[in-house]
Amino acid sequence: PEGRLYQVEYAMEAISHAGVAVGILGTDGIVLAAEKKITSKLLEPGSSEKMYKVADHIACAVAGITADANILVNSARLSA
């Protein structure tokens, strides 16, 4: 239909509503921060995690689509 790819448009729209994640390295520590946006009243608070513990010495913050990030986090947990 008119050369448009609706799946790509929907994905770009979903990413534009995603929160931001930032990591800061200091001289004596690391700070991870993630913005948690509730885009729908149907989502229950706390159901969408942005911070993950990969191992005892590894953590990560997620920005973007968390379903995609879950696969990467699980892969990182297996590798750690």
Side-chain angles (χ1 to χ4, degrees), residues 2 6-7 13 18-19 23-24 26-27 29 46-47 50 55 57 60-63 65 67-68 71 75 79:
E2 302 156 11
Y6 290 109
Q7 289 177 326
E13 183 69 21
I24 300 173
T27 56
S47 65
K50 295 288 186 180
H57 62 289
C60 73
V62 173
I65 300 173
D68 293 340
I71 295 170
S75 176
S79 299

Side-chain angles (χ1 to χ4, degrees), residues 4-68:
R4 295 176 69 182
L5 296 175
Y6 290 109
Q7 289 177 326
V8 173
E9 290 180 22
Y10 292 144
M12 296 301 287
E13 183 69 21
I15 290 172
S16 70
H17 291 296
V20 177
V22 175
I24 300 173
L25 174 63
T27 56
D28 47 334
I30 297 171
V31 176
L32 292 176
E35 177 185 22
K36 186 181 280 191
K37 288 186 175 181
I38 304 296
T39 58
S40 173
K41 293 180 182 178
L42 299 175
L43 291 174
E44 66 179 80
S47 65
S48 177
E49 293 297 322
K50 295 288 186 180
M51 306 289 277
Y52 293 94
K53 180 179 177 181
V54 176
D56 289 335
H57 62 289
I58 302 171
C60 73
V62 173
I65 300 173
T66 54
D68 293 340

